[in-house]
Amino acid sequence: MIHYFNTLKVFTFVLHPWLVCKLTDMHPSILLNVCMCCFAGAGQDVGRSCILVSIGGKNIMLDCGMHMGYNDDRRFPDFSYITQNGRLTEFLDCVIISHFHLDHCGALPYMSEMVGYDGPIYMTHPTKAICPILLEDFRKITVDKKGETNFFTSQMIKDCMKKVVPLNLHQTVQVDEELEIKAYYAGHVLGAAMVQIKVGSESVVYTGDYNMTPDRHLGAAWIDKCRPDLLISESTYATTIRDSKRCRERDFLKKVHETVERGGKVLIPVFALGRAQELCILLETFWERMNLKAPIYFSTGLTEKANHYYKLFITWTNQKIRKTFVQRNMFEFKHIKAFDRSYADNPGPMVVFATPGMLHAGQSLLIFKKWAGNEKNMVIMPGYCVQGTVGHKILNGQKKLEMEGRATVIIGTLDVKLQVEYMSFSAHADAKGIMQLIRMAEPRNMLLVHGEAKKMEFLKDKIEQEFSISCYMPANGETTSIVTNPSVPVDISLNLLKREMALGGPLPDAKRPRTMHGTLIMKDNSLRLVSPEQALKELGLSEHQLRFTCRVQLHDPHSDNDTLGRIYTHLKSVLKTYSIQHVPDGTVIVESIVIKVTSSAEEPNLKVILLSWSYQDEELGSFLSTLLKKGLPS
């Protein structure tokens, strides 16, 4: 029986023992929600991370970075993917920044102040503190030293940071009535966070950059078993399984020591915070143990800033540093001194940490130019270098480099004679770490970003094979749509459950759900499943019955009444357990099924058998129509 009321509709449910049911006949917008991801940056590319996620009717921008390898329009994300004209405020519910590296936050003032966005920008407390310093350093290099125009100003950085809302780890933040976000520890650098975005029962986790291995100053990334509909993960080292950290550290110290012993200079390009502190702690300990005298320098100002922020955010470091911090600050170095530009011309060995880490600008590039011509010297690249940077070029064996001056004018060629070493101290998860995170979170779908296409393809196949989940790797400008199937909680009346159990059959089993029928009442944003009788009584409505009708044609030379009598006799012999009546008004009735016979004057031998039945006898009605299509026995 299907009941139609003004405010009700009958739906089919899957009955689970914990009384939570899944709607299987609701409107598609409720049943099948689509999570969409559009890529303005970091799609099959490292750098310029910028992802637009649409989930449950909400639009969230994940990171807003710049590309280190470009000095033209390609430096910043293409926001025309979001809107062709007008401010972004109308299209975005919020922006989330995972950490302070420029390939994740470098375009933020451009996006908010030059393109136009007035909504909330979420990031952790350490990221909020460090981000404007790095943005200002980047602006000085680009505008003051290189003379570029069409760039954000110092005031724009300040105005942008006024829109920032700080996040605490494991704190659920309600962006609006429906959208909530939660930050998890990501390792990688001070303040880096993975973020869970939730709208109703749908969720997405974005990792940003993360590291599953603890190091000398930070812990390993962690997330609970949140089972998101989609996990968006970086894949910088998609095909790499790094060797043991201890072996890497030993090789690093050996190469530095050998170069210094032969009178050479060692340049270690690093970013201001992160790997710099990791390697400084390593060299400080080694210099102390070996009683070495060669000077170690760090770019001016950055040591003091790093110390300040590590003291301020000591809770974000690893357990060992937190324990020993009161007795001794690991970031106050005895052997590492502030670097002055004039020191680069000093004779004799030295080790210099200089920013930035990819040799694309700044102090590290200036020192590299001075030392590149001497084969005694060495440059050690401790992290990933984006295509187009000087770091990427020398790691690929390029021995002659065209050097740019102001406004990107080529001013000459540089011969590279010094030794070039790559030693991965990068704080990105390797392939093993990415698989480990998938086991932790147990996502229903996977999406890879922030990596190179060929390597991502390899990891994609491995993920699909090992976890039997769909994995995507869209390029910039592409949109990926993922269908989600959220569970909708429904209260079920006790009478309906008792009636269901009285019908017999197997007990409800979570692994083998079974179908039950009832009337769904939607009222005050809640759903209740009750028996049709209870729904009629509660709402004071009368019942309407819907009947199904079927026509079967057959050739029979007898009169209509005789044909009906033959049908009655045939059904009595087939359906022995059913109540079958031959009614004087010219019908045969089986349960709720009514059978009539008619014929036309033009062709009296062609009989039309009409069958009509109610909803509860649908199976029997289908059986009888099939039976009569085969004809009557002679």
Side-chain angles (χ1 to χ4, degrees):
M1 207 180 318
I2 298 185
H3 303 267
Y4 285 92
F5 311 123
N6 292 335
T7 57
L8 303 179
K9 180 181 174 185
V10 169
F11 301 106
T12 304
F13 289 83
V14 179
L15 178 61
H16 288 282
W18 55 88
L19 310 187
V20 174
C21 306
K22 279 191 174 181
L23 283 72
T24 58
D25 190 30
M26 287 190 75
H27 190 277
S29 64
I30 299 174
L31 175 64
L32 297 176
N33 287 323
V34 177
C35 171
M36 298 177 69
C37 298
C38 178
F39 291 80
Q44 298 181 13
D45 187 18
V46 177
R48 198 176 51 194
S49 288
C50 189
I51 303 158
L52 180 69
V53 170
S54 294
I55 175 173
K58 303 292 179 181
N59 297 324
I60 304 103
M61 182 184 285
L62 303 173
D63 281 337
C64 189
M66 57 154 287
H67 201 295
M68 304 289 194
Y70 298 120
N71 293 320
D72 52 20
D73 290 343
R74 294 171 293 176
R75 173 190 281 141
F76 295 138
D78 186 353
F79 296 111
S80 66
Y81 291 130
I82 301 171
T83 174
Q84 296 292 327
N85 46 43
R87 296 172 66 80
L88 296 174
T89 312
E90 300 167 28
F91 301 93
L92 297 176
D93 291 283
C94 72
V95 174
I96 299 170
I97 302 298
S98 62
H99 63 289
F100 58 67
H101 279 159
L102 293 177
D103 59 332
H104 292 260
C105 72
L108 199 53
Y110 173 80
M111 183 273 297
S112 68
E113 307 311 307
M114 297 176 77
V115 178
Y117 172 72
D118 299 318
I121 301 168
Y122 292 93
M123 58 180 75
T124 64
H125 288 275
T127 305
K128 184 187 177 186
I130 297 163
C131 190
I133 295 165
L134 299 186
L135 286 169
E136 179 57 26
D137 283 348
F138 174 51
R139 188 204 64 78
K140 281 179 185 173
I141 290 168
T142 309
V143 177
D144 297 349
K145 292 185 180 178
K146 290 189 176 179
E148 291 189 31
T149 54
N150 191 30
F151 209 77
F152 52 78
T153 63
S154 293
Q155 188 57 47
M156 286 178 181
I157 296 172
K158 290 172 187 171
D159 292 341
C160 170
M161 297 311 292
K162 287 175 186 173
K163 297 167 186 173
V164 170
V165 180
L167 289 173
N168 293 315
L169 286 179
H170 310 299
Q171 173 197 6
T172 299
V173 174
Q174 208 72 36
V175 178
D176 59 30
E177 287 183 2
E178 296 168 319
L179 173 62
E180 63 181 50
I181 58 177
K182 186 178 181 180
Y184 292 91
Y185 190 78
H188 188 62
V189 293
L190 191 71
M194 300 187 278
V195 184
Q196 182 186 31
I197 301 139
K198 206 169 179 184
V199 181
S201 62
E202 297 174 280
S203 66
V204 171
V205 168
Y206 174 59
T207 66
D209 291 348
Y210 64 101
N211 189 7
M212 297 301 288
T213 310
D215 55 32
R216 288 174 180 265
H217 75 296
L218 294 175
W222 180 87
I223 194 168
D224 55 26
K225 210 175 283 294
C226 51
R227 296 186 177 92
D229 292 296
L230 178 64
L231 174 62
I232 304 173
S233 171
E234 68 134 316
S235 53
T236 316
Y237 290 100
T239 57
T240 305
I241 296 178
R242 285 197 287 269
D243 54 4
S244 87
K245 190 163 69 95
R246 188 163 291 185
C247 290
R248 278 201 313 280
E249 290 178 349
R250 191 171 58 241
D251 289 347
F252 169 76
L253 294 171
K254 184 184 174 188
K255 284 184 166 58
V256 171
H257 191 202
E258 284 175 351
T259 305
V260 168
E261 284 293 295
R262 66 169 178 260
K265 295 175 171 63
V266 181
L267 171 63
I268 307 170
V270 288
F271 288 105
L273 292 114
R275 295 313 87 201
Q277 282 67 45
E278 182 77 3
L279 296 175
C280 281
I281 293 170
L282 185 61
L283 276 184
E284 173 79 7
T285 310
F286 183 71
W287 247 241
E288 185 73 31
R289 191 173 74 241
M290 300 294 290
N291 196 27
L292 298 175
K293 303 300 179 190
I296 306 173
Y297 298 114
F298 204 116
S299 292
T300 311
L302 289 175
T303 314
E304 291 83 355
K305 286 176 188 174
N307 266 332
H308 172 70
Y309 288 117
Y310 277 100
K311 284 176 188 174
L312 192 60
F313 302 112
I314 192 72
T315 54
W316 286 77
T317 59
N318 65 22
Q319 196 172 355
K320 183 182 176 184
I321 286 184
R322 289 201 303 272
K323 276 184 178 179
T324 59
F325 186 72
V326 178
Q327 291 83 31
R328 185 201 166 201
N329 180 1
M330 291 283 282
F331 303 105
E332 287 177 355
F333 303 114
K334 175 183 169 185
H335 297 278
I336 301 170
K337 308 297 180 189
F339 179 75
D340 185 89
R341 193 175 296 182
S342 62
Y343 294 174
D345 300 318
N346 287 355
M350 69 177 75
V351 179
V352 176
F353 289 94
T355 60
M358 298 187 190
L359 290 177
H360 56 281
Q363 191 84 266
S364 62
L365 185 57
L366 291 172
I367 297 169
F368 175 77
K369 288 176 186 176
K370 287 189 175 185
W371 293 358
N374 190 338
E375 60 271 10
K376 273 188 181 181
N377 299 336
M378 178 181 285
V379 59
I380 298 177
M381 306 300 296
Y384 186 88
C385 291
V386 170
Q387 195 167 355
T389 60
V390 171
H392 186 271
K393 289 171 184 175
I394 62 171
L395 285 176
N396 281 278
Q398 206 167 314
K399 294 297 181 185
K400 286 189 180 293
L401 301 172
E402 289 182 335
M403 304 311 295
E404 294 177 351
R406 285 178 72 85
T408 67
V409 176
I410 303 298
I411 57 171
T413 304
L414 180 70
D415 289 324
V416 179
K417 294 180 182 176
L418 85 175
Q419 294 179 58
V420 178
E421 294 287 345
Y422 173 69
M423 306 194 73
S424 177
F425 285 93
S426 178
H428 291 272
D430 61 3
K432 191 176 174 183
I434 295 168
M435 303 298 265
Q436 187 183 340
L437 185 77
I438 298 171
R439 287 187 200 96
M440 262 190 191
E442 292 188 1
R444 296 180 184 89
N445 296 278
M446 190 75 190
L447 194 147
L448 299 176
V449 297
H450 202 278
E452 297 168 25
K454 285 184 181 177
K455 294 177 181 178
M456 291 167 91
E457 187 72 52
F458 175 84
L459 183 61
K460 174 182 179 291
D461 293 342
K462 190 159 180 60
I463 289 168
E464 289 180 335
Q465 183 182 345
E466 186 161 333
F467 297 102
S468 301
I469 58 174
S470 297
C471 186
Y472 307 88
M473 45 167 286
N476 287 336
E478 291 184 0
T479 299
T480 298
S481 299
I482 292 151
V483 175
T484 63
N485 191 4
S487 296
V488 180
V490 177
D491 293 327
I492 304 177
S493 77
L494 189 59
N495 288 337
L496 184 63
L497 279 174
K498 283 179 178 177
R499 192 175 76 174
E500 180 71 18
M501 301 309 294
L503 292 174
L507 289 171
D509 182 348
K511 293 182 180 177
R512 292 183 178 179
R514 81 173 191 244
T515 303
M516 69 176 294
H517 299 280
T519 305
L520 184 69
I521 300 180
M522 303 184 199
K523 191 177 180 183
D524 299 329
N525 292 324
S526 64
L527 300 173
R528 278 194 308 131
L529 187 68
V530 299
S531 66
E533 297 79 17
Q534 186 178 338
L536 289 168
K537 188 177 177 182
E538 281 186 22
L539 299 165
L541 298 171
S542 56
E543 181 181 311
H544 299 271
Q545 280 208 0
L546 181 70
R547 295 187 67 84
F548 298 91
T549 303
C550 174
R551 292 169 180 261
V552 177
Q553 291 185 341
L554 60 84
H555 287 277
D556 189 64
H558 303 90
S559 67
D560 292 353
N561 280 335
D562 288 347
T563 300
L564 189 64
R566 294 180 68 215
I567 289 171
Y568 171 75
T569 306
H570 182 42
L571 295 183
K572 286 282 282 184
S573 65
V574 175
L575 305 173
K576 293 178 181 177
T577 59
Y578 285 85
S579 169
I580 304 171
Q581 303 172 55
H582 191 166
V583 185
D585 66 355
T587 59
V588 168
I589 297 174
V590 185
E591 301 294 332
S592 71
I593 300 165
V594 178
I595 302 169
K596 289 185 178 180
V597 177
T598 60
S599 58
S600 63
E602 294 82 14
E603 199 173 347
N605 288 344
L606 181 64
K607 308 297 181 186
V608 177
I609 304 169
L610 298 171
L611 292 95
S612 171
W613 63 85
S614 64
Y615 174 68
Q616 66 264 36
D617 286 329
E618 186 178 353
E619 283 186 27
L620 182 59
S622 298
F623 170 77
L624 291 181
S625 65
T626 304
L627 180 69
L628 294 173
K629 280 175 187 175
K630 295 176 182 177
L632 299 171
S634 52

